[in-house]
Amino acid sequence: MKKKNVVVIGGGTGLSVLLRGLKTFPVDISAIVTVADDGGSSGRLRKELDIPPPGDVRNVLIALSEVEPLVEELFQHRFSNGNGLSGHSLGNLLLAGMTSITGDFSRGITELSKVLNVRGNVYPAANCSIVLHAEMEDGTIVTGESLIPLEQKKIKRVFLTPEDISPLQSAIRAIEEADIIVLGPGSLYTSVIPNLLVPGVTQAIEQSEARKVYICNVMTQSGETEGYTAGDHIQAISDHCGSTLVDEIVVHGAPVSAEVRARYASEGAVPVVVDVNRINSMGVSVVLDHFVIERENMLRHDAIKVSKAILRM
């Protein structure tokens, strides 16, 4: 039987967690990763070397790699001192170096994938640095992915510059050939939607005959989705892309412990309400289950369980 082609689109910690589970199944994986990050080591490298930020790509490469634990630890090692090195992860520097050697960020990722024995394909959403902006409900414009949540205002829309961004053709081709397209998990406005705003990506998803799945965050996110229900997440995608793009939404359907709720309340986050009737009225099916693991008062998606739910579709 032909392996399913699964395309996962997003960024941040949630994407890497899911991919670690998904790679244990007999599927062909393509990850399309956001390149809007402008903070920390990634932000410094994109500014100093004029390359796309490598941080999210680094995490995805490690999630899909099949190497000894010590190699993974080395790739993720972050220098704590050293003039110019402090704060940089070795993986970010290796990606920057491979980009310099090959002259192309995407090709650098491909070559490093061979070194790390990556199971699948990893594509940047665009092969150049992009800048994420947010227009707030009060009309103010905030520039920079890392600054948007700090503004603590309600987001009306996000958009990208420059205007002449070109999609990576290999990423578009992966979408066209997909059996399942997964959006998320990850920050709605700073990890998921930026990928969809790259010209050509939304159109390719719309035209694809693949099953389209959105993995909804379990908790709201301060500065991005306060007060959002699961249906609001889908509506935001629809508002930005001109269509729903989603056939199914995977949502956590069990209560969150009081300890975890208290931990997240300190960050202004609460469990996302699952408004099933509204979601169904949008033409989207709801997949409800106990999809998270509580660890040290933190929530993480159960990558194996979520992967099984996706593949059953």
Side-chain angles (χ1 to χ4, degrees), residues 9-310:
I9 303 173
T13 305
L15 178 62
S16 299
V17 169
L18 173 62
L19 291 173
R20 284 183 184 273
L22 199 56
K23 76 175 182 182
T24 65
F25 293 86
V27 295
D28 288 327
I29 302 169
S30 293
I32 299 175
V33 188
T34 183
V35 285
D37 187 13
D38 63 352
S41 170
S42 287
R44 286 164 60 191
L45 289 172
R46 73 177 282 174
K47 183 178 180 180
E48 293 171 14
L49 303 178
D50 192 26
I51 63 171
D56 282 345
V57 169
R58 180 195 82 239
N59 287 328
V60 167
L61 286 173
I62 283 298
L64 290 175
S65 69
E66 294 182 348
V67 292
E68 293 296 325
L70 189 59
V71 176
E72 177 177 340
E73 187 177 346
L74 177 67
F75 199 74
Q76 293 286 51
H77 175 71
R78 194 174 293 275
F79 295 95
S80 57
N81 49 41
N83 187 24
L85 279 177
S86 182
H88 281 304
S89 77
L90 183 59
N92 284 359
L93 296 176
L94 289 173
L95 274 165
M98 196 64 82
T99 301
S100 179
I101 290 169
T102 62
D104 182 88
F105 185 60
S106 177
R107 189 177 166 201
I109 293 170
T110 300
E111 295 303 319
L112 207 51
S113 294
K114 297 174 185 176
V115 175
L116 293 169
N117 195 22
V118 167
R119 185 161 177 264
N121 299 301
V122 179
Y123 304 116
N127 207 22
C128 62
S129 287
I130 58 178
V131 180
L132 183 68
H133 311 264
E135 180 185 356
M136 303 302 184
E137 289 285 359
D138 65 2
T140 59
I141 303 293
V142 180
T143 296
E145 181 262 358
S146 62
L147 299 178
I148 291 169
L150 301 180
E151 197 70 15
Q152 293 293 308
K153 293 181 178 179
K154 187 172 177 58
I155 297 171
K156 181 179 180 180
R157 69 181 181 107
V158 292
F159 60 97
L160 304 176
T161 58
E163 295 181 358
D164 59 344
I165 301 167
S166 296
L168 202 68
Q169 288 307 308
S170 48
I172 298 297
R173 191 158 51 248
I175 293 171
E176 292 171 346
E177 296 172 355
D179 298 302
I180 303 170
I181 297 171
V182 182
L183 305 180
S187 301
L188 178 64
Y189 286 108
T190 54
S191 290
V192 177
I193 291 178
N195 296 289
L196 305 177
L197 297 179
V198 173
V201 171
T202 289
Q203 292 83 345
I205 295 173
E206 284 176 334
Q207 293 168 14
S208 171
E209 295 181 2
R211 204 70 182 156
K212 293 128 189 175
V213 185
Y214 174 60
I215 302 177
C216 189
N217 291 336
V218 182
M219 308 294 288
T220 60
Q221 188 171 354
S222 177
E224 287 202 41
T225 55
E226 287 104 335
Y228 273 42
T229 65
D232 289 329
H233 284 71
I234 296 174
Q235 187 62 54
I237 293 172
S238 178
D239 289 344
H240 281 80
C241 301
S243 61
T244 303
L245 289 192
V246 178
D247 297 315
E248 268 114 354
I249 180 171
V250 172
V251 287
H252 179 60
V256 176
S257 72
E259 293 80 8
V260 171
R261 289 174 69 107
R263 153 74 176 75
Y264 279 89
S266 66
E267 300 175 358
V270 298
V272 172
V273 173
V274 184
D275 42 349
V276 176
N277 290 338
R278 179 187 175 197
I279 294 169
N280 287 337
S281 72
M282 300 165 81
V284 177
S285 300
V286 179
V287 180
L288 267 172
D289 206 336
H290 195 298
F291 281 121
V292 301
I293 299 170
E294 294 186 10
R295 187 178 295 130
E296 297 177 356
N297 288 343
M298 296 284 288
L299 295 177
R300 290 289 181 263
H301 277 97
D302 183 331
I304 299 296
K305 197 166 186 178
V306 172
S307 296
K308 286 180 178 178
I310 291 168

